[in-house]
Amino acid sequence: MWLYLVALVGLWKLLRLFRERQVVSHLQDKYVFITGCDSGFGNLLARQLDRRGMRVLAACLTEEGAEQLRNKTSDRLETVILDVTKTESIVAATQWVKERVGDKGLWGLVNNAGVLQPFAYLEWYRPEDYTSILHVNLIGLTQVTLSMLFLVKKARGRIVNVSSVLGRVALFSGFYSCSKYGVEAFSDVLRREIKDFGVKVSIIEPGSFSTGMTDPELSIERTKIAWEAAPEHVKESYGQRFFDDFCSTTKRELMKCSTNLSLVTDCMEHALTSTHPRTRYLAGWDARFIFLPLSYLPTSLVDYLFALSRGKPAQAA
């Protein structure tokens, strides 16, 4: 019986591999709009798709980032300045894209722009910290998507939303996790609602990667700013020693982040170019071997394991 089961699993794997290796035709004629191209995943993906001959429309937050990207790519790639937290900027970018894609429509929309810092416990956040995270990672993503959806429907194209393993298991970075849970829910609902229009929605769930968002020194600096701004009673309840240990642990873990960003951008590229893209892509060894198993464990067990990995606050019960 076990032999038959192994054979069936092996056959299923081969069939899936065959299906996923089928590539969409005429890629050179297809337009892809990517947010957050100043650095990190968005920047690498823009260069990757440009080398493949696709028509890349790259949105950057700064003109400096846009210029640096243009200097590393072909003349096909075009850039636009976009702040996903501003409605007028999104409207302007949508019009800009519409003028370029014309009747072909927009084949790919990649919602990559995101922010993460500061790393902190929920009580340490200032309102401006968590509202910024939610505005960029969730509200901005939904506004960009809904603004450009008519162009994607015209091309019967793809929407690729960058979530996180913290959108599966909310272990830390509370408001970042909140935003990514929102991305997961929005993407699931959107996929089901627009399936009949021929549009496919994929979710990318990266593990820990070394980007500007996870720079150890910058991250700890912003964590310290959040801690100093926290109410005195909050700091007393946790204690300076707990905070110092938290910073040391966070910095140590951030220094372990993978530098191989192509593990993520290859998933994005596959979602855009495969005839049969996946609904979800896990990127990184920690995503596959830590966070995915954790997501299937009982909540009480995950809580227990998390408690073992951290110290006790000064006024712990």
Side-chain angles (χ1 to χ4, degrees):
M1 177 180 175
W2 288 109
L3 184 60
Y4 289 117
L5 182 60
V6 171
L8 284 173
V9 171
L11 180 61
W12 175 76
K13 289 278 190 182
L14 286 173
L15 288 174
R16 192 177 77 162
L17 179 63
F18 173 74
R19 278 170 54 86
E20 291 184 347
R21 289 175 67 89
Q22 297 178 45
V23 179
V24 173
S25 60
H26 306 296
L27 288 177
Q28 291 76 12
D29 298 328
K30 299 188 183 303
Y31 286 86
V32 177
F33 180 79
I34 311 168
T35 67
C37 291
D38 297 77
S39 61
F41 301 135
N43 186 279
L44 179 57
L45 178 65
R47 290 184 279 124
Q48 199 166 311
L49 297 182
D50 179 64
R51 287 195 299 269
R52 193 155 183 179
M54 298 187 75
R55 311 285 297 190
V56 178
L57 305 175
C60 297
L61 182 61
T62 67
E63 182 55 47
E64 179 183 3
E67 183 178 358
Q68 290 177 354
L69 178 58
R70 288 194 299 268
N71 291 337
K72 297 178 181 178
T73 53
S74 72
D75 293 337
R76 285 189 308 274
L77 183 141
E78 298 182 72
T79 61
V80 64
I81 303 301
L82 171 64
D83 183 343
V84 299
T85 66
K86 297 180 179 178
T87 301
E88 61 273 19
S89 183
I90 295 172
V91 171
T94 301
Q95 181 61 32
W96 180 85
V97 171
K98 181 181 177 181
E99 292 171 357
R100 278 148 184 80
V101 302
D103 293 333
K104 291 183 177 180
L106 180 63
W107 171 256
L109 168 60
V110 182
N111 285 301
N112 165 75
V115 293
L116 170 59
Q117 296 153 342
F119 285 93
Y121 273 55
L122 293 174
E123 284 188 287
W124 306 353
Y125 280 87
R126 299 170 297 177
E128 57 265 35
D129 292 328
Y130 59 75
T131 54
S132 174
I133 291 172
L134 294 172
H135 279 155
V136 175
N137 295 358
L138 179 56
I139 298 173
L141 179 147
T142 59
Q143 286 191 313
V144 170
T145 301
L146 296 177
S147 180
M148 298 193 181
L149 185 55
F150 75 102
L151 295 172
V152 182
K153 287 166 66 177
K154 181 177 292 188
R156 295 181 177 272
R158 309 289 172 79
I159 295 173
V160 180
N161 291 332
V162 179
S163 179
S164 168
V165 290
L166 294 177
R168 277 184 180 260
V169 186
L171 289 179
F172 48 85
S173 297
F175 288 105
Y176 179 79
S177 291
C178 289
S179 70
K180 294 305 183 180
Y181 266 76
V183 170
E184 297 273 344
F186 174 76
S187 301
D188 282 341
V189 174
L190 180 68
R191 183 182 66 255
R192 289 160 181 149
E193 288 185 350
I194 65 175
K195 181 180 180 181
D196 290 339
F197 295 100
V199 177
K200 298 179 180 180
V201 179
S202 294
I203 304 169
I204 311 297
E205 298 175 334
S208 303
F209 286 88
S210 181
T211 67
M213 291 200 307
T214 55
D215 177 85
E217 298 298 333
L218 181 59
S219 296
I220 297 304
E221 179 183 338
R222 291 183 175 176
T223 300
K224 290 179 178 178
I225 292 173
W227 173 257
E228 290 302 322
E232 198 61 36
H233 68 86
V234 170
K235 290 190 282 189
E236 289 176 359
S237 67
Y238 286 92
Q240 186 63 41
R241 181 177 178 180
F242 179 90
F243 173 74
D244 292 339
D245 289 343
F246 174 82
C247 288
S248 297
T249 302
T250 300
K251 186 174 182 179
R252 183 170 62 250
E253 292 302 315
L254 289 176
M255 292 178 70
K256 297 178 183 177
C257 290
S258 172
T259 58
N260 187 7
L261 304 189
S262 62
L263 292 175
V264 178
T265 57
D266 286 348
C267 292
M268 295 174 172
E269 182 178 347
H270 186 271
L272 292 166
T273 61
S274 174
T275 305
H276 303 284
R278 298 181 185 180
T279 300
R280 280 177 168 79
Y281 292 82
L282 283 164
W285 71 267
D286 54 341
R288 292 181 176 277
F289 300 113
I290 296 179
F291 285 91
L292 180 61
L294 283 176
S295 69
Y296 291 107
L297 291 178
T299 302
S300 58
L301 180 55
V302 176
D303 290 350
Y304 174 73
L305 293 173
F306 177 69
L308 291 178
S309 66
R310 62 186 177 92
K312 291 285 188 180
Q315 298 179 3

